[in-house]
Amino acid sequence: MALEVFHKDETLQMRRKLIGQSCRLFFSRDPVKIVRARGQYLYDENGMQYLDCISNVQHVGHCHPSLTQAAAAQMDLLNSNTRFLHDNIVLYADRLAATLPKKLCVFYFVNSGSEANDLALRLARQYTRHHDVVVLDHAYHGHLISLIDISPYKFRKLEGQKEWVHVAPLPDTYHGIYREDHPDPGQAYADTVKSLIDEAHKKGCKISSFFAESLPSVGGQIIFPTGYCKRVAEYVREAGGVYVADEIQTGFGRVGSHFWAFQLQGEDFCPDIVTMGKPIGNGHPIACVATTEEIAAAFTANGVEYFNTFGGNPVSCAIGLAVLDVIEKEDLRGNAVRVGGHLKQLLLQLQTKHPLIGDVRGVGLFIGMELVKDRASRKPATEEAAHLVRRLKEERIVMSTDGPWDSVIKFKPPMCFSIEDAERVCTCIDQILRGLSETLNVILPNRRSHLHTSQLLQPCCFYNHPLANYFHLKFQRKFILNKDRKSSRKRNGCDTDVM
């Protein structure tokens, strides 16, 4: 099949006509048309290569030959209804069980992370006979109605919070109510969950579950403080509920040191239900729920058959097995430790040079770099983060933002990301932020008459001025982009051809 059927402009026009406009594209003002990919690289219709820093779905790399071969071979042999007996599903379940604590030994295969979390919610309610759910602020767990209801990231923009949903503070030690200087932020944040549970009980509500990503992603690449999950699990279980760990973004070795992100909380912590998706099939639609024999037995006891036509079909499981093989054979967990550690150190070095970088946090190949207007106030630098992403795109590096204010530059690349890739990205970030800082220094002296004397004493006073947005937008396209393009030709480590 041809790499391109339509010219890019025609493709975009047809998409706008035929596809729902709420299905948004990256770089919507000037989207990139990708026609092929390999490893950590994407290629547009002109053959231009882009470095992919965010496709955590393509976990072991785009179009990995081992996976395409496994899929084609099984597709050529059999892809049947899941109610026929077949070896692949039990082989795959057995392989997954070997990566998890022993008590998580029963599996349900589905087609997407949203399906997995919806099923986890059903399992929790059936087992506990309770209804209410505790979630973290800014969380996102999927696009089904049941999951929008427990995703503050979504429901705050829609109909609002349901009475049976209880929202706990995000355990963010950079922006949150308990910060890095607190003697025990893990306990303090866990106690906020305990308070929510107590308030729910006073109203006659009963908690079925606590839902949380093991490392909140949409919330801003958050790393839980030590001891948080263990204490929350104790409080939730005391209330008759279960702990659900959403590993859809973070599972399958992304953190490097462990196969699952929840394992960062210690060997003595184990969720009652674990959901997995996205990286599980490297882009193929497969997902899974792992739970205990007791919870599974309660689900069976309701007398209602659970049936999923495609979940766990022979082709999906063949691909899942191939993903596990590649993770092991190519030592991708080790690569996450080595490359992720190097990337984090490079970003920390940039933090010492650029006041815009307020925080660098993460583990393995799950890293966030938060931009702030002022380090003292920690006011999010949303516009600057968007500018950085746009400029990186011009350098053919695909990045994105996350967090409550879209001020966190997120790194969740394919696990084959290299040392050279990390250095290229950081070199580009350095140049772009340097150009942005120099531009602000040029603008400020010419605008002193608009600023109060006390503001002039502040290193980032320009950002706080009422006209900041106007001048930022006015100058960034005309001055910053041209300046960065010129300087980019002189530097090493970055492609200089821009679209």
Side-chain angles (χ1 to χ4, degrees):
M1 185 175 179
L3 295 180
E4 186 179 29
V5 177
F6 305 110
H7 185 272
K8 176 183 173 180
D9 291 340
E10 188 177 1
T11 304
L12 184 57
Q13 290 174 7
M14 292 179 68
R15 181 182 174 96
R16 287 171 175 167
K17 178 180 179 181
L18 298 169
I19 307 301
Q21 290 301 296
S22 59
C23 302
R24 296 178 182 175
L25 293 164
F26 288 129
F27 316 112
S28 56
R29 292 183 181 178
D30 182 24
V32 181
K33 184 175 182 179
I34 300 300
V35 298
R36 64 184 181 93
R38 179 71 66 171
Q40 64 271 50
Y41 302 110
L42 306 166
Y43 299 87
D44 70 11
E45 76 280 11
N46 298 313
M48 293 292 188
Q49 183 191 84
Y50 290 78
L51 177 61
D52 186 353
C53 299
I54 56 173
S55 287
N56 60 320
V57 176
Q58 283 72 34
H59 191 62
V60 302
H62 292 273
C63 303
H64 196 290
S66 294
L67 274 62
T68 56
Q69 291 166 14
Q74 184 59 55
M75 183 69 78
D76 188 53
L77 186 65
L78 173 70
N79 192 27
S80 65
N81 188 299
T82 54
R83 289 209 276 196
F84 287 110
L85 188 64
H86 195 270
D87 288 341
N88 281 7
I89 191 170
V90 294
L91 286 170
Y92 188 38
D94 189 56
R95 288 281 297 277
L96 287 176
T99 70
L100 290 160
K102 289 185 177 180
K103 80 172 193 176
L104 296 172
C105 58
V106 181
F107 299 86
Y108 298 87
F109 291 100
V110 294
N111 302 297
S112 70
S114 289
E115 275 195 64
N117 278 337
D118 179 76
L119 178 56
L121 185 59
R122 289 180 60 189
L123 288 166
R125 285 174 169 167
Q126 181 64 35
Y127 176 70
T128 64
R129 300 290 183 172
H130 298 169
H131 188 76
D132 287 28
V133 180
V134 179
V135 296
L136 295 178
D137 207 358
H138 308 298
Y140 174 64
H141 294 291
H143 60 76
L144 302 180
I145 291 177
S146 62
L147 305 175
I148 295 295
D149 286 345
I150 64 170
S151 298
Y153 170 69
K154 291 292 186 181
F155 70 59
R156 293 196 192 285
K157 303 173 185 178
L158 298 170
E159 297 178 357
Q161 184 175 340
K162 297 290 193 295
E163 291 183 358
W164 51 270
V165 177
H166 309 275
V167 180
L170 183 67
D172 178 358
T173 57
Y174 186 69
H175 281 294
I177 54 177
Y178 305 111
R179 299 190 174 184
E180 67 275 5
D181 57 351
H182 190 280
D184 191 355
Q187 182 66 59
Y189 277 112
D191 286 343
T192 65
V193 177
K194 179 67 163 59
S195 297
L196 273 179
I197 293 172
D198 291 342
E199 287 300 314
H201 285 173
K202 290 178 182 178
K203 298 175 183 178
C205 304
K206 295 183 178 180
I207 304 300
S208 71
S209 53
F210 172 83
F211 259 78
E213 291 180 275
S214 296
L215 298 176
S217 179
V218 170
Q221 307 293 95
I222 303 299
I223 307 299
F224 285 147
T226 302
Y228 173 75
C229 295
K230 181 181 178 182
R231 292 298 295 150
V232 168
E234 291 173 359
Y235 293 146
V236 171
R237 288 165 184 159
E238 287 171 1
V242 298
Y243 189 110
V244 181
D246 181 337
E247 289 274 348
I248 291 165
Q249 296 265 16
T250 57
F252 293 87
R254 176 158 294 277
V255 300
S257 58
H258 299 82
F259 203 86
W260 305 102
F262 74 77
Q263 293 170 325
L264 293 169
Q265 289 283 308
E267 294 183 2
D268 56 346
F269 170 67
C270 178
D272 302 293
I273 301 173
V274 172
T275 59
M276 46 193 94
K278 293 187 186 296
I280 189 173
N282 210 63
H284 182 81
I286 179 175
C288 185
V289 179
T291 190
T292 66
E293 291 180 340
E294 294 78 12
I295 294 175
F299 192 56
T300 302
N302 69 8
V304 178
E305 175 192 18
Y306 178 76
F307 172 57
N308 193 305
T309 305
F310 304 110
N313 70 74
V315 172
S316 295
C317 289
I319 293 171
L321 286 163
V323 169
L324 296 180
D325 288 340
V326 172
I327 292 172
E328 182 178 345
K329 290 177 181 178
E330 298 185 6
D331 187 27
L332 294 184
R333 281 179 55 193
N335 191 64
V337 171
R338 293 185 294 272
V339 177
H342 185 61
L343 173 59
K344 188 175 179 182
Q345 284 303 311
L346 292 175
L347 294 174
L348 287 169
Q349 291 172 21
L350 292 182
Q351 186 182 19
T352 65
K353 298 172 60 177
H354 300 289
L356 271 171
I357 302 176
D359 192 35
V360 175
R361 53 184 178 262
V363 58
L365 285 172
F366 181 91
I367 296 174
M369 179 182 75
E370 178 144 9
L371 302 190
V372 294
K373 296 181 183 294
D374 172 59
R375 287 184 180 175
S377 67
R378 303 186 180 185
K379 184 177 180 180
T382 301
E383 292 177 353
E384 291 77 6
H387 169 72
L388 178 57
V389 168
R390 288 193 297 269
R391 282 289 292 112
L392 285 167
K393 180 231 183 183
E394 293 182 356
E395 299 294 343
R396 300 207 300 272
I397 296 173
V398 179
M399 293 292 303
S400 187
T401 58
D402 243 331
W405 304 278
D406 282 317
S407 57
V408 180
I409 307 298
K410 61 180 178 182
F411 294 84
K412 290 183 289 187
M415 294 278 280
C416 51
F417 209 68
S418 71
I419 292 289
E420 293 74 20
D421 297 328
E423 292 176 347
R424 173 186 168 188
V425 173
C426 290
T427 299
C428 287
I429 290 173
D430 186 22
Q431 293 288 339
I432 295 166
L433 292 184
R434 186 185 306 169
L436 182 57
S437 297
E438 290 174 359
T439 301
L440 292 175
N441 289 335
V442 168
I443 295 172
L444 280 171
N446 295 330
R447 301 296 168 186
R448 286 178 183 269
S449 61
H450 296 283
L451 303 177
H452 189 275
T453 304
S454 63
Q455 287 181 299
L456 290 173
L457 300 176
Q458 302 300 319
C460 296
C461 56
F462 173 75
Y463 293 115
N464 298 319
H465 190 265
L467 295 177
N469 289 345
Y470 170 78
F471 289 122
H472 180 78
L473 294 172
K474 179 178 176 64
F475 281 90
Q476 78 173 19
R477 184 175 296 276
K478 179 178 178 181
F479 186 92
I480 302 175
L481 299 186
N482 289 338
K483 186 176 188 303
D484 281 351
R485 281 173 178 151
K486 291 177 182 178
S487 63
S488 70
R489 299 190 187 102
K490 300 178 182 180
R491 68 180 181 271
N492 297 319
C494 291
D495 271 329
T496 56
D497 295 324
V498 295
M499 292 181 65

